[in-house]
Amino acid sequence: MGKITFYEEKNFQGRSYECMNDCSDMSSYMSRCHSCRVESGCFMVYERNNYMGQQFFMRRGEYNDMQSMRSMGMMFDNIRSCRMIPYHRGQFRMKIYERDNFGGQSYELMDDCDNIQDRYRMSDCQSCNVMDGHWLMYEQPQYRGRMMYMRPGEYRNFREMMSGQRFMSMRRITDMC
C-alpha cells in the first residue's frame, strides 16, 4: 500500500491532498502542486490529467520543490495526476521490438538494459510486450531523459503513444519503496 501527499506550495506548505491509490485528476483537490512527500510505495506522477503527458517516477522521500526536480530528470513543474505502482514479486520479462506492431528485431529482457544499441545493436525500440513485472523506459541510454511507466500488457506503437518518443534504456521497478 502506498501513500503520497501533495502540497500546493514549496516546502510542504499550503493546501494538501493525501493519496493512497491512483488519482486521474487532482484539480478538484488542489489548484497546483509544488511539493510532495512519498511516505510509502512508489508512484508515477504526470504533468496532465488522466495520466497523460510527461511522467516521473517517485519513490519514498521528500520532494520539497518541483522546479528543482529538473536536476533529477523531471521535465515539468506541476503534477496533475498520479498512479500507484504495485510491488511485484517474481520474475521480470519484457520483449522489445525494433518496429511498431511487434515488427523487426526482437529481444527478451529479464533484467535492466542501460543501452539497447550497445547490448543488442538495436537502433530503435518502437513496441514491446511486458509479460511480467513493472518497468520504466527511458528515451536516452543510461536511464536518462523522459521516462514512461510500463505495466504488463502490449504496447504496439510508441510513436503514437508518446508523440514520436523512442526508448533507448529500460529498468525494472524492483523497489518495495
Side-chain angles (χ1 to χ4, degrees):
M1 185 103 182
K3 181 179 176 184
I4 187 169
T5 305
F6 300 99
Y7 298 86
E8 282 192 330
E9 304 301 331
K10 296 176 185 177
N11 299 312
F12 318 112
Q13 301 294 311
R15 201 162 67 174
S16 65
Y17 170 62
E18 189 176 283
C19 186
M20 291 189 276
N21 50 29
D22 297 353
C23 178
S24 63
D25 183 2
M26 292 177 22
S27 64
S28 59
Y29 304 106
M30 56 195 336
S31 61
R32 62 187 175 277
C33 174
H34 288 296
S35 60
C36 71
R37 183 178 284 130
V38 179
E39 294 180 37
S40 60
C42 293
F43 290 84
M44 281 309 284
V45 295
Y46 300 81
E47 75 171 326
R48 297 197 327 246
N49 295 338
N50 297 315
Y51 319 111
M52 302 294 288
Q54 294 190 40
Q55 309 174 18
F56 188 75
F57 176 71
M58 294 187 143
R59 60 173 38 103
R60 188 176 184 163
E62 295 188 342
Y63 304 86
N64 66 340
D65 181 3
M66 290 299 125
Q67 290 182 348
S68 67
M69 295 295 294
R70 289 188 183 279
S71 65
M72 295 177 65
M74 188 170 180
M75 305 295 183
F76 53 98
D77 60 7
N78 193 12
I79 297 169
R80 306 307 292 163
S81 57
C82 73
R83 189 176 299 257
M84 188 182 78
I85 300 172
Y87 178 65
H88 174 75
R89 296 177 197 270
Q91 69 178 356
F92 287 77
R93 287 187 327 128
M94 172 172 55
K95 193 163 190 178
I96 59 173
Y97 297 85
E98 182 179 35
R99 293 197 295 267
D100 61 356
N101 291 312
F102 314 119
Q105 294 182 67
S106 68
Y107 297 95
E108 187 169 311
L109 282 74
M110 296 180 77
D111 59 358
D112 301 347
C113 177
D114 64 353
N115 190 327
I116 62 168
Q117 194 161 18
D118 288 351
R119 185 184 287 182
Y120 300 115
R121 301 291 178 243
M122 231 173 130
S123 61
D124 208 355
C125 173
Q126 286 302 314
S127 57
C128 77
N129 181 9
V130 177
M131 295 159 297
D132 294 303
H134 300 262
W135 298 73
L136 289 176
M137 297 186 68
Y138 297 82
E139 72 176 333
Q140 297 174 20
Q142 307 301 321
Y143 317 115
R144 293 190 336 251
R146 292 185 294 176
M147 62 182 75
M148 185 169 177
Y149 167 52
M150 303 292 210
R151 53 189 176 182
E154 293 183 345
Y155 300 87
R156 294 183 170 277
N157 193 326
F158 294 152
R159 290 192 199 281
E160 286 180 5
M161 290 170 55
M162 296 296 290
S163 303
Q165 184 172 341
R166 65 185 207 162
F167 297 106
M168 299 304 292
S169 56
M170 46 279 308
R171 174 179 278 167
R172 299 163 297 153
I173 302 175
T174 58
D175 293 4
M176 283 186 69
C177 304

